[in-house]
Amino acid sequence: MKIVIAGGTGFIGRHVSRLLIHEGHSVIVLSRHAPDGKNFDNIHVRHIQWDGCSQGTWAQECEGADVVINLSGAPIADSRWTEKRKQELIDSRVESNRTLLKAISSWKNKPHTFITASGIGIYGDRGGEVVDESSTPGEGFLPQLCQMWERSAMKAEAFGLRVIPLRIGMVLGSDGGALSKMTFPFRMFLGGPILPGTQFVSWIHHEDLSRLILFLITHASIRGPVNAVAPDPATMKDFCHALGNAMKRPSWFPVPEFVLKFALGELAAMLTTGQRTQPQKALGAGFPFTYSTAQSALHSIFSQTST
Ligand SMILES: NC(=O)c1ccc[n+]([C@@H]2O[C@H](COP(=O)([O-])OP(=O)(O)OC[C@H]3O[C@@H](n4cnc5c(N)ncnc54)[C@H](OP(=O)(O)O)[C@@H]3O)[C@@H](O)[C@H]2O)c1
């Protein structure tokens, strides 16, 4: 299959591209930057430049794609959520979906599937409640952002495409995402849970996420939102304990909520609250998770890297 991945230069996109190429598919990555040879060493990805908000020659070059995946988006947790930043977070997601859909609408040969990233942040702060794809959205900025993100993608149904908003949990890998930031204090023997510690962390190993995306591409009966999380979410306390174990470091130093609120403002809520998310659709369709517990996922990651 010919598969286009917008924002495919990022942490998730690099892993997904590798798997798709390995499985014999042809991959085009859309990026706002010219190729620098660093993102895709030794794998045959075609890299095409776009700006994420206007049509161009990229659109003609992507025509004939069987699947379009949008992973674009300004990083959610990199800076304080000022009003300006919130708008950037929204625009980079909604606008890139809108731009892709505009191109697709003009293609004679349309893809059969459109997958957009979304997040389990859509469920908001749910305490210990178990949530799945049938749960209602929560309240606050992240749920609003995710709903706008998903709505902008669902418009592709009007062209007859199968649309899957992928509600991704915390993706675990050594080369990007939240884990690479969490490991620093652990490396310094200063690691510990973000308090209260009882909030749930719904996570997925990057290998399972890439395999789930391939599974969704090839299982035509699945449509609509899909939770991309492992079936065994952990509390923050247990997750950090497992992280310390995998890194052979203690999990001693809890991070108080007020410190995060002072440092990060509204963004702190993303870390001090959580969702106990179930991958109901993936399990129902028989997707086999390789890494079902945080311990197994973290051990696999840190057994391949030097702490
Ligand atoms: N990683 C996770 O744990 C996680 C969890 C839930 C949801 N997600 C979502 O999944 C998607 C992919 O995640 P990721 O971890 O791979 O993110 P990432 O490493 O930050 O990659 C995202 C890509 O989006 C593009 N991008 C960055 N800023 C942009 C902007 N202002 N406008 C348009 N495009 C922009 C970049 O591509 P170019 O610079 O090449 O254009 C970048 O490579 C994101 O939308 C993210 O919010 C990720």
Side-chain angles (χ1 to χ4, degrees):
M1 277 189 255
K2 176 175 170 180
I3 301 174
V4 171
I5 311 181
T9 50
F11 168 48
I12 297 174
R14 291 193 309 268
H15 286 292
V16 177
S17 301
R18 253 181 220 114
L19 177 67
L20 294 175
I21 295 278
H22 182 259
E23 295 295 315
H25 301 290
S26 94
V27 174
I28 295 179
V29 159
L30 291 177
S31 167
R32 294 162 307 151
H33 303 100
D36 61 5
K38 284 187 201 146
N39 280 318
F40 297 104
D41 38 293
N42 299 327
I43 63 166
H44 300 288
V45 166
R46 204 165 147 222
H47 185 130
I48 297 179
Q49 224 173 333
W50 76 330
D51 65 3
C53 58
S54 56
Q55 303 301 303
T57 51
W58 66 268
Q60 285 102 56
E61 296 189 66
C62 292
E63 178 156 14
D66 301 284
V67 177
V68 175
I69 303 174
N70 188 13
L71 299 175
S72 307
I76 300 259
D78 268 18
S79 56
R80 272 176 170 269
W81 290 346
T82 59
E83 289 310 310
K84 183 166 172 271
R85 182 63 179 166
K86 283 182 183 175
Q87 201 54 53
E88 282 167 7
L89 296 175
I90 296 169
D91 290 347
S92 55
R93 291 170 169 78
V94 172
E95 195 56 25
S96 53
N97 272 343
R98 195 191 61 77
T99 305
L100 288 167
L101 262 53
K102 189 167 179 204
I104 292 170
S105 71
S106 71
W107 295 347
K108 206 163 150 234
N109 298 317
K110 295 194 175 24
H112 53 75
T113 302
F114 184 76
I115 299 178
T116 181
S118 175
I120 55 164
I122 195 165
Y123 301 116
D125 173 14
R126 302 301 266 254
E129 178 191 345
V130 176
V131 291
D132 64 23
E133 290 90 345
S134 66
S135 302
T136 52
E139 284 173 13
F141 173 65
L142 264 192
Q144 278 168 13
L145 165 66
C146 293
Q147 286 177 84
M148 284 189 262
W149 201 358
E150 294 190 2
R151 271 200 299 267
S152 64
M154 292 309 294
K155 289 184 179 157
E157 282 192 326
F159 318 133
L161 273 66
R162 177 170 69 108
V163 183
I164 301 176
L166 201 54
R167 296 177 176 169
I168 307 171
M170 187 209 277
V171 183
L172 304 184
S174 58
D175 56 337
L179 190 62
S180 56
K181 292 183 180 139
M182 282 178 83
T183 51
F184 178 73
F186 278 86
R187 235 177 248 128
M188 302 291 111
F189 291 85
L190 292 170
I194 293 167
L195 294 179
T198 49
Q199 71 274 39
F200 275 86
V201 180
S202 295
W203 55 271
I204 184 165
H205 191 290
H206 70 81
E207 286 174 19
D208 275 338
L209 176 59
S210 297
R211 291 190 314 103
L212 177 59
I213 290 174
L214 181 58
F215 183 88
L216 295 172
I217 290 172
T218 53
H219 284 70
S221 60
I222 308 173
R223 53 177 62 233
V226 171
N227 289 338
V229 294
D232 190 23
T235 61
M236 176 65 81
K237 187 164 174 249
D238 289 346
F239 184 85
C240 287
H241 185 70
L243 177 58
N245 265 340
M247 292 182 69
K248 301 188 175 57
R249 296 285 192 276
S251 177
W252 274 337
F253 292 97
V255 184
E257 283 178 77
F258 78 88
V259 173
L260 276 185
K261 278 190 186 139
F262 178 73
L264 304 174
E266 194 181 344
L267 164 59
M270 206 176 117
L271 306 168
T272 58
T273 66
Q275 305 80 19
R276 189 177 190 175
T277 318
Q278 274 304 299
Q280 209 55 48
K281 276 198 182 165
L283 290 175
F287 175 73
F289 284 91
T290 303
Y291 301 98
S292 296
T293 64
Q295 287 90 326
S296 64
L298 292 165
H299 271 286
S300 122
I301 289 166
F302 289 99
S303 62
Q304 291 160 23
T305 48
S306 58
T307 50

